[in-house]
Amino acid sequence: MIKESKSRRVFTIWNYLFLSLLGLVMLLPFLHVLAGSFSSGNAIIQGKVTILPVEFNFLNYQAVLNDVAIWKSFGISVFVTIVGTTINLLLTALMAYGLSKSNLKGRSFFILVVLFTMIFHAPMIPSYLVVKELGMLNTLWSIMIPNAISAFNLIILMSFFQNIPKDLLESAKIDGCGEYRTWWKIVLPLSMPAMTTVGLFYAVGHWNGYFNSLMFIRNSSLFPLQVKLRKLLVESDAEAMMQSVELTLSSIEGIKMAAIMVATLPILFIYPFIQKYFAQGAMLGSIKE
């Protein structure tokens, strides 16, 4: 066992202190919004709220949760996140498995095309015209299909698939498995850490996404939660929520903070359950054995 030097211990201590301080600085805005969501509007306007609620109450959440449009937008976001992530994982895993084969004809060309999309993105107007010609305007498919495969996530899975022992794949082929059955029965079960990591990337992207919804959807009944949140923060739709509870105009900021927490907490609660897969998958996708 190698004894740790004094300078190394000092560096480790300062490193932990710096990262802890940095994490605290990043956490403070979240705590401020959380405290404001439980505070009165007057306390927020007067600047009394820091990281602890002032004049604690649930009226802001009551106003947000009593809004039917919020619940409908929440359901749409859940649907888009689940279905969209499933589509993303299915298509990304299929393409990554094919590109992980060194004997694939034209493999270098396809990889070059994938890398090209990481540098040059499709402009807004051509993207809109493509979605329009495909008949996906004002549908939820316009949010899920255009960005079905991420080049970054594709490279992660492709690198992971290349680490799977070739002897195992050849044994499956000898036993009569075709490529699709090998992919389904052998490759995917072994790739759960990487699939979970990539799935988390896709799910967070779907949950937080709003630009495609603004560009492709005009029917307000199909707006996901993030678009509804934007309307609350930018277009002052919060005033309509105050009619269901006893709130004054000064409570608009509190309603906005409560809406932010409602939109943030669901995806935040998922992290503790898949954190171990997230770290393991991110490492395994980049290490060659």
Side-chain angles (χ1 to χ4, degrees), residues 3-21:
K3 186 177 180 181
E4 189 177 23
S5 64
K6 183 178 179 180
S7 59
R8 180 67 180 178
R9 288 198 300 271
V10 172
F11 171 78
T12 302
I13 293 173
W14 281 106
N15 196 26
Y16 275 113
L17 289 175
F18 172 75
L19 292 178
S20 300
L21 180 62

Side-chain angles (χ1 to χ4, degrees), residues 164-205:
I164 297 177
K166 291 182 174 55
D167 295 341
L168 184 62
L169 302 181
E170 291 175 359
S171 298
K173 188 177 295 184
I174 293 174
D175 290 338
C177 292
E179 292 292 351
Y180 287 105
R181 190 175 180 184
T182 301
W183 172 77
W184 181 257
K185 295 288 188 179
I186 306 296
V187 175
L188 288 188
L190 293 174
S191 307
M192 289 310 298
M195 292 289 289
T196 304
T197 301
V198 171
L200 178 62
F201 289 155
Y202 278 128
V204 172

Side-chain angles (χ1 to χ4, degrees), residues 210-226:
Y210 72 93
F211 183 75
N212 282 356
S213 301
L214 290 176
M215 185 164 58
F216 300 135
I217 296 178
R218 292 291 177 266
N219 186 355
S220 59
S221 63
L222 295 178
F223 283 159
L225 185 59
Q226 300 301 330

Side-chain angles (χ1 to χ4, degrees), residues 73-81 85 202-210 224-226 262-268:
S73 298
F74 183 87
I76 291 174
S77 288
V78 171
F79 175 82
V80 169
T81 300
T85 302
Y202 278 128
V204 172
H206 282 299
W207 186 265
N208 292 333
Y210 72 93
L225 185 59
Q226 300 301 330
V262 169
T264 304
L265 289 178
I267 199 69
L268 192 63

Side-chain angles (χ1 to χ4, degrees), residues 63 82 86 111 113-115 125 128 154 157 161-162 165-166 169 176 186 204 206 212 226-227 234 249 257 266 284 289:
I82 295 176
T86 302
I111 292 177
V113 170
V114 170
L115 294 176
I125 295 178
Y128 180 86
L154 178 69
L157 280 185
F161 291 159
Q162 288 175 332
K166 291 182 174 55
L169 302 181
I186 306 296
V204 172
H206 282 299
N212 282 356
Q226 300 301 330
V227 176
V234 179
L249 286 176
M257 291 183 178
L284 290 176
E289 293 183 356

Side-chain angles (χ1 to χ4, degrees), residues 18-174:
F18 172 75
L19 292 178
S20 300
L21 180 62
L22 185 64
L24 180 62
V25 170
M26 293 181 178
L27 188 62
L28 286 177
F30 177 82
L31 295 177
H32 174 71
V33 174
L34 179 62
S37 66
F38 289 106
S39 302
S40 67
N42 290 327
I44 297 174
I45 293 177
Q46 295 173 11
K48 296 180 180 178
V49 180
T50 53
I51 60 174
L52 295 176
V54 178
E55 300 177 10
F56 186 90
N57 66 84
F58 292 98
L59 292 178
N60 296 322
Y61 283 97
Q62 185 179 345
V64 172
L65 298 179
N66 282 347
D67 186 30
V68 177
I70 283 285
W71 285 106
K72 188 170 184 178
S73 298
F74 183 87
I76 291 174
S77 288
V78 171
F79 175 82
V80 169
T81 300
I82 295 176
V83 177
T85 302
T86 302
I87 294 173
N88 294 142
L89 288 176
L90 179 64
L91 297 181
T92 304
L94 281 171
M95 187 173 182
Y97 179 66
L99 293 179
S100 67
K101 300 288 186 177
S102 58
N103 59 348
L104 177 68
K105 293 183 179 180
R107 177 173 179 266
S108 300
F109 171 76
F110 290 117
I111 292 177
L112 183 62
V113 170
V114 170
L115 294 176
F116 182 84
T117 62
M118 295 182 66
I119 304 173
F120 302 99
H121 300 280
M124 185 186 305
I125 295 178
S127 298
Y128 180 86
L129 294 177
V130 169
V131 172
K132 180 181 179 181
E133 290 300 319
L134 292 175
M136 293 191 297
L137 285 181
N138 276 322
T139 67
L140 296 180
W141 299 114
S142 63
I143 308 175
M144 299 180 284
I145 299 299
N147 297 321
I149 298 178
S150 164
F152 176 77
N153 294 332
L154 178 69
I155 292 174
I156 290 179
L157 280 185
M158 185 178 67
S159 177
F160 188 92
F161 291 159
Q162 288 175 332
N163 289 331
I164 297 177
K166 291 182 174 55
D167 295 341
L168 184 62
L169 302 181
E170 291 175 359
S171 298
K173 188 177 295 184
I174 293 174

